Amino acid sequence: MKTEHAPTIHRADYRPLPWTVERIDLHFNLDPTATVVTSRLNCVRNPEVEAGPLRLWGDTLECLLLTVDGAEPAAAALRELEDGLEVDLAGERAVVEIHTRIDPQANTTLSGLYLSNGGFFTQCEAEGFRRITYFPDRPDVMARYTVTLEADRERCPVLLSNGNLLEQGELPGGRHYARWEDPFPKPSYLFALVAARLVVLERKAQTASGREVLLQVWVEEGNLDRAGHAMDSLIHSMRWDERTFGLELDLDRFMIVAVADFNMGAMENKGLNIFNTKYVLAKPDTATDVDYEHIESVVAHEYFHNWTGNRVTCRDWFQLTLKEGLTVFRDQQFSADMLAEAAGEEDAASARAVKRIDDVRVLRAAQFPEDAGPMAHPIRPDSYQEINNFYTATVYEKGAEVIRMLHTLLGTEGFRNGMDLYFSYHDGKAVTCDDFVDAMAEANGRDLDQFMRWYAQAGTPRLGARGEWNAADGSYTLRLTQHTPPTPGQAEKLPLVIPVAVGLIAPDGSDLPLQLEGESQPGASTRVLELKTAEQRFRFVGLSAEPVPSLLRGFSAPVLLELEEDDERLAFRMAKDSDPCNRWDAAQRYAERVILALAADLGQGRAAAVPEAFIRAFRSLATDEALDPAFRAQAAALPAEGYLLERMSPADPAALRAALRLLYATLGERLAADWLALCERLPVAGEYRYHPADAGRRALLNLALRYLAAAGNEAGLALARQRFGAAGNMTDRFGALAALVQSASPAREDALAAFHARYKDDALVLDKWFSLQAGAWRWQDDAPGTLLRVKALLDDAAFSLSNPNKVYSLLGTFFRANPAEFHAADGSGHVFWADMVIALDARNPQVAARMARALENWRRYTPALQASIRPQLERVLATKGLSPDVSEVIGKALQD
Ligand code: TRP
Ligand code: ZN
């Protein structure tokens, strides 16, 4: 058992184990309350390590039997530890057999073997395998698995595990069995089994080298009509990895299984990916364009792990970004390519930018705050108490940015060469981030030592920029600086290698060809400068007029750009910057400036109004018919509230919300005619298809409705009601509903009721219904607070604290996406938060810890809010039996 205050584990303490496992033969006698697991381990001494015992980890297991080479070990040769066992073995090889009993039904953590809708499922990453049987449960122990499943035929007609099916058959007593073998050695975290009542969608496909493979998507009965998009996404992913990296599926069979109770998005178990239903099931009537997009990218992510994660895995959990950062980068590139392909040559650049903007939004809204708070850590952390707390935006999203910078610095071909070398050296091994970067360096003849600091330093670097125009000689000197603020345990930071993509814009809006001092002639109009020291100057020559700099094009590094630009210059770049990401970014910066100024005024009780110049700039961008609708939907969407709070000091959610309400209402009213015209022009004719061009139109139209509804525009509200009633797909229906809910219109209640009536038996659609209500703003000052609604919904028949999707939809949305209501001045939200974290922790520590993190940046809030939050943090920390997961989060939040 884990203890209440878990010890800290340090990266520097890594040691290889004296004994590893070459083969494992597992047998499961599946029973809801008493499953017996028999495990035969072929253990091998590691000759490179000093002699020592076999280390087995175990958690909540009942040990029935343990033998070494067929005999019970002497009492002194077997020692019980707090988190497992130690067994002395003699010689070079030994066969260890272990029988354990586990209770899947009592397992509410969704880690290890658990039940969902009557079926058996496993989740082993990161340390769930030790909740199934005693094992050296570390990723550097790679074994070959054979697995036999035995279960009730009625309850579990389908029996799946990793790899290939060897045989199956009947057993007495209404039971049956199946035997599976995975030909590839793998760490225990990639083990999986499924025994449940499921149906399958199958396709046969050929790999690039001509092998035939069987692709399967397993879902519950009644959901087959929602499995097609996941299957299409899988096939697209296979083709993309073959084309882009020359990587083929290495198995004869590849399975995806959907399960309703799952802590995260999905899991890349070898040949048997297990998915949250949310990232598999889609049909036009139940899934939005965004759902379709997410399914495509999660299917791709898990599929890509087969090489980046499974064939080459992590030596230890500190290296998590080795597989996650790289695989997120790969799925981002895949999605961008898919969008570009669908858009056609002419619109490909804009389509790619739309994806890039999405990714940057996530980074700024989730990762930047994390990097500025008590949980800040490098993409490769130096220590942790609970590894499950480190599946973070930093490891994933910032990790992907670090890989992207390598791609930028080395070029597409250089990056591919590095990948090829990485696989040629490390296929079948458990390695480190250094191994990856070393391969990149060697394949490209580059020194990447300084680049490695990105793996070691936490905190968002500040990139300062100042331009100096010299009219006399037509030169423009760009002075770039960098510094990274201190983070917990890391006061000093060293300069990083920062690729800064730069363009210089002429007064007419065109890009100038760039010629650096010392070069004989001008070159490309976007150049990547490498900033390597605290301060560096770059002198551009041969210019005829003072340029406007466009920096960090394509968001070429995960930094905060500090560049002084007046409103006029931002408006100029909003209108003219040839880089779509920077055009969007200029709009975001301008909006941020306006919102923070409004919030400052409103927070002080002063009158405030949206500047006319901003309205003009915003309008010309949102209504520019030369731009594709998907891009305009990005450009017209305001910065995320979570990101804005981070930019406010102190963070005052009430003032920010007041500013946002005013801005929404003003833009809704002043641009009403434009929004209504868009609503006339944008509707997509014909049957729904998931296509980026259609999705872009729907997104912009729904945003137009949202502005109109926020302004209380009668024509807009009528249109939203009409579109809600007549919608032929979920994107339109949900978009209209969201507009009604985010308005003062009483029509919202009827619409919510109608939506509920239509989808009352559909768990995934109800998640949207919960989330929409939890995220609702108050559009009239005397309206009841959202907390009352959230509390009432806890008692809804469809709600359950045991289902992570429900918790994330209702509580996650309220705590993370509705700061003004959560941080209501009376402190009721904070008390509720503590109640929920404590209640959740007793069932599912991983989910509880995610909710707990909603308050980690509490010191950034106003003194009154801090005074309300602190006692609740302390109350949670004082809870008896608190999990290490939550205790790490709260402990760090309270640390001085
Ligand atoms: N490896 C999974 C992914 O990124 C993440 C994951 C799925 C996970 N389930 C989990 C991590 C449970 C921790 C716990 O694709
Ligand atoms: Zn992953």
Side-chain angles (χ1 to χ4, degrees):
M1 274 304 289
K2 282 171 180 164
T3 49
E4 198 163 310
H5 292 282
T8 298
I9 318 228
H10 296 273
R11 180 163 64 89
D13 292 345
Y14 172 84
R15 300 285 178 278
L17 291 166
W19 287 85
T20 61
V21 178
E22 205 174 64
R23 306 188 68 94
I24 169 169
D25 192 16
L26 277 168
H27 183 282
F28 288 84
N29 200 340
L30 292 164
D31 178 274
T33 55
T35 288
V36 174
V37 184
T38 308
S39 167
R40 262 172 72 93
L41 308 175
N42 282 13
C43 302
V44 196
R45 224 185 77 72
N46 182 350
E48 273 142 50
V49 179
E50 218 180 293
L54 168 69
R55 179 69 161 91
L56 302 168
W57 279 266
D59 183 8
T60 60
L61 300 174
E62 188 187 344
C63 187
L64 304 175
L65 175 87
L66 188 149
T67 62
V68 176
D69 295 323
E72 275 188 40
L78 176 65
R79 291 171 297 278
E80 217 171 305
L81 309 175
E82 214 182 331
D83 57 357
L85 303 169
E86 232 175 50
V87 194
D88 294 330
L89 303 177
E92 300 302 310
R93 298 181 153 267
V95 175
V96 175
E97 186 164 329
I98 308 165
H99 298 191
T100 51
R101 182 157 47 210
I102 50 180
D103 183 352
Q105 191 170 291
N107 180 7
T108 57
T109 64
L110 311 186
S111 163
L113 178 67
Y114 63 93
L115 290 180
S116 175
N117 276 350
F120 295 86
F121 299 83
T122 56
Q123 170 56 40
C124 292
E125 188 175 6
E127 297 176 337
F129 194 72
R130 64 186 64 180
R131 298 167 56 81
I132 294 173
T133 182
Y134 288 97
F135 193 78
D137 188 15
R138 296 193 347 185
D140 59 345
V141 176
M142 296 174 82
R144 278 204 173 75
Y145 284 63
T146 45
V147 179
T148 308
L149 309 176
E150 219 184 286
D152 186 81
R153 183 178 246 305
E154 256 305 294
R155 181 191 183 101
C156 306
V158 174
L159 304 175
L160 309 174
S161 191
N162 317 82
N164 302 316
L165 180 62
L166 294 180
E167 59 171 317
Q168 56 187 333
E170 301 298 319
L171 292 169
R175 293 181 71 82
H176 70 147
Y177 77 96
R179 217 151 74 82
W180 293 80
E181 178 184 56
D182 184 349
F184 295 94
K186 65 167 174 288
S188 49
Y189 82 87
L190 290 173
F191 163 80
L193 76 76
V194 171
R197 180 166 282 285
L198 300 170
V199 291
V200 69
L201 173 70
E202 299 193 322
R203 289 255 198 299
K204 290 213 164 105
Q206 292 237 327
T207 67
S209 70
R211 267 188 320 110
E212 186 169 282
V213 293
L214 177 64
L215 309 177
Q216 298 183 317
V217 179
W218 293 91
V219 297
E220 275 183 18
E221 214 161 298
N223 280 336
L224 267 187
D225 62 343
R226 305 189 195 193
H229 181 60
M231 177 64 83
D232 292 344
S233 302
L234 177 58
I235 293 170
H236 290 142
S237 307
M238 286 175 56
R239 296 289 165 255
W240 185 89
D241 221 7
E242 289 172 347
R243 207 168 55 229
T244 314
F245 288 110
L247 298 172
E248 232 182 79
L249 179 58
D250 55 8
L251 290 162
D252 301 336
R253 178 202 282 250
F254 190 87
M255 299 171 276
I256 286 176
V257 179
V259 61
D261 298 285
F262 200 73
N263 283 342
M264 304 265 287
M267 180 63 213
E268 70 265 25
N269 316 301
K270 184 81 186 186
L272 179 57
N273 287 186
I274 297 183
F275 273 61
N276 189 322
T277 45
K278 180 176 164 60
Y279 295 112
V280 176
L281 302 179
K283 63 179 177 182
D285 186 51
T286 60
T288 62
D289 291 324
V290 173
D291 292 327
Y292 276 83
E293 221 173 87
H294 287 164
I295 289 168
E296 184 178 72
S297 75
V298 177
V299 167
H301 179 96
E302 306 311 330
Y303 176 77
F304 296 156
H305 268 315
N306 191 50
W307 281 93
T308 50
N310 301 4
R311 285 288 287 255
V312 183
T313 195
C314 302
R315 187 193 71 176
D316 55 72
W317 289 119
F318 295 102
Q319 318 297 327
L320 185 57
T321 199
L322 171 73
K323 73 178 177 82
E324 296 303 347
L326 177 54
T327 304
V328 170
F329 171 73
R330 275 151 55 68
D331 83 54
Q332 290 177 347
Q333 294 293 86
F334 163 76
S335 296
D337 286 350
M338 295 294 290
L339 286 172
E341 199 176 293
E345 216 169 301
E346 206 157 300
D347 299 318
S350 172
R352 280 177 197 286
V354 166
K355 170 62 181 161
R356 184 67 186 130
I357 288 165
D358 265 332
D359 298 338
V360 172
R361 247 186 226 289
V362 171
L363 191 81
R364 287 181 178 170
Q367 199 279 325
F368 281 16
E370 180 169 274
D371 234 351
M375 286 280 290
H377 52 276
I379 64 168
R380 175 164 68 182
D382 292 316
S383 67
Y384 60 74
Q385 289 169 44
E386 173 50 64
I387 184 56
N388 286 321
N389 285 332
F390 285 80
Y391 288 76
T392 58
T394 298
V395 166
Y396 277 65
E397 269 71 36
K398 188 178 181 180
E401 293 299 323
V402 170
I403 302 294
R404 183 177 296 277
M405 288 190 286
L406 281 174
H407 188 265
T408 302
L409 293 169
L410 305 175
T412 304
E413 208 185 303
F415 187 84
R416 167 70 196 266
N417 292 338
M419 288 285 277
D420 290 350
L421 196 63
Y422 173 63
F423 289 117
S424 81
Y425 283 161
H426 304 300
D427 187 13
K429 299 204 176 83
V431 303
T432 65
C433 300
D434 307 271
D435 293 321
F436 179 80
V437 177
D438 285 350
M440 286 286 157
E442 187 185 329
N444 289 278
R446 299 252 318 213
D447 178 348
L448 293 172
D449 286 357
Q450 191 191 345
F451 187 85
M452 277 309 292
R453 288 178 190 162
W454 280 107
Y455 285 82
Q457 291 187 178
T460 306
R462 303 318 198 246
L463 171 66
R466 248 212 169 106
E468 217 174 280
W469 167 241
N470 187 336
D473 65 1
S475 75
Y476 184 79
T477 304
L478 198 56
R479 177 175 160 264
L480 298 179
T481 58
Q482 61 165 306
H483 79 98
T484 304
T487 49
Q490 255 189 8
E492 301 296 325
K493 311 278 181 178
L494 299 168
L496 297 155
V497 182
I498 303 181
V500 184
V502 173
L504 296 180
I505 311 174
D508 70 353
S510 64
D511 270 341
L512 295 163
L514 303 182
Q515 183 178 5
L516 279 167
E517 179 176 38
E519 291 174 348
S520 58
Q521 50 180 335
S525 57
T526 299
R527 300 263 300 246
V528 178
L529 307 177
E530 286 183 35
L531 176 63
K532 293 182 165 172
T533 55
E535 178 180 339
Q536 238 165 295
R537 278 158 207 272
F538 299 89
R539 190 157 168 266
F540 296 95
V541 297
L543 304 165
S544 54
E546 179 175 5
V548 168
S550 169
L551 302 180
L552 218 62
R553 282 185 160 175
F555 199 66
S556 60
V559 302
L560 261 164
L561 172 62
E562 293 175 342
L563 169 67
E564 272 187 40
E565 288 178 293
D566 58 18
D567 293 353
E568 220 175 304
R569 185 165 274 200
L570 285 173
F572 174 78
R573 287 206 301 112
M574 270 172 82
K576 303 285 189 188
D577 203 317
S578 71
D579 178 61
C581 289
N582 267 10
R583 221 171 149 180
W584 166 81
D585 184 61
Q588 294 285 297
R589 282 168 185 269
Y590 201 169
E592 174 185 324
R593 178 177 301 174
V594 167
I595 293 163
L596 295 185
L598 290 175
D601 283 339
L602 294 167
Q604 297 295 316
R606 290 190 295 265
V610 182
E612 289 300 322
F614 177 75
I615 298 175
R616 268 196 309 277
F618 181 91
R619 177 167 185 264
S620 20
L621 191 56
T623 60
D624 185 344
E625 292 292 324
L627 298 171
D628 102 80
F631 178 78
R632 280 149 72 199
Q634 291 284 18
L638 302 180
E641 210 169 358
Y643 176 67
L644 291 166
L645 272 181
E646 211 43 52
R647 308 283 292 158
M648 211 178 178
S649 197
D652 181 349
L656 176 60
R657 180 61 61 81
L660 287 169
R661 256 175 61 177
L662 177 62
L663 185 54
Y664 263 107
T666 306
L667 292 171
E669 194 181 296
R670 297 290 301 281
L671 274 61
D674 301 297
W675 298 131
L676 287 166
L678 283 180
C679 291
E680 289 273 314
R681 206 161 36 238
L682 287 170
V684 180
E687 209 178 316
Y688 175 93
R689 53 166 194 168
Y690 170 66
H691 188 282
D694 294 1
R697 296 173 76 105
R698 286 188 281 263
L700 184 56
L701 194 158
N702 283 333
L703 189 61
L705 282 183
R706 173 98 210 261
Y707 278 110
L708 289 164
N713 179 283
E714 281 307 326
L717 286 167
L719 189 62
R721 282 198 305 275
Q722 185 268 327
R723 289 186 60 84
F724 175 72
N729 62 72
M730 180 54 83
T731 310
D732 288 345
R733 180 170 294 116
F734 191 71
L737 179 63
L740 291 171
V741 168
Q742 293 296 13
S743 81
S745 161
R748 51 191 275 173
E749 294 306 328
D750 282 352
L752 280 168
F755 190 84
H756 183 268
R758 183 181 173 121
Y759 295 108
K760 60 183 182 317
D761 299 319
D762 196 309
L764 287 177
V765 181
L766 287 178
D767 289 340
K768 299 180 194 301
W769 181 78
F770 282 114
S771 156
L772 203 49
Q773 296 176 80
W777 297 9
R778 255 189 283 182
W779 292 88
Q780 281 154 316
D781 293 325
D782 57 352
T786 304
L787 177 59
L788 287 177
R789 176 66 68 99
V790 171
K791 283 183 171 170
L793 287 170
L794 284 180
D795 296 325
D796 190 278
F799 186 80
S800 164
L801 275 185
S802 309
N803 176 253
N805 286 357
K806 290 283 170 294
V807 173
Y808 299 150
S809 297
L810 185 66
L811 303 178
T813 303
F814 184 65
F815 296 144
R816 290 182 165 278
N818 201 349
E821 294 297 316
F822 175 29
H823 296 290
D826 65 3
S828 53
H830 306 140
V831 176
F832 176 67
W833 168 87
D835 291 343
M836 290 297 109
V837 170
I838 292 166
L840 286 167
D841 196 45
R843 292 161 216 263
N844 188 330
Q846 285 184 39
V847 171
R850 279 175 192 274
M851 294 302 104
R853 294 199 57 192
L855 279 182
E856 74 189 22
N857 287 5
W858 67 289
R859 286 187 214 268
R860 299 212 58 263
Y861 290 89
T862 60
L865 288 175
Q866 285 189 41
S868 165
I869 295 169
R870 180 187 274 278
Q872 300 308 322
L873 290 166
E874 287 167 345
R875 174 156 74 95
V876 172
L877 195 63
T879 305
K880 228 176 130 250
L882 195 69
S883 69
D885 308 59
V886 173
S887 116
E888 174 170 34
V889 170
I890 309 283
K892 285 182 175 170
L894 282 168
Q895 222 157 62
D896 294 311

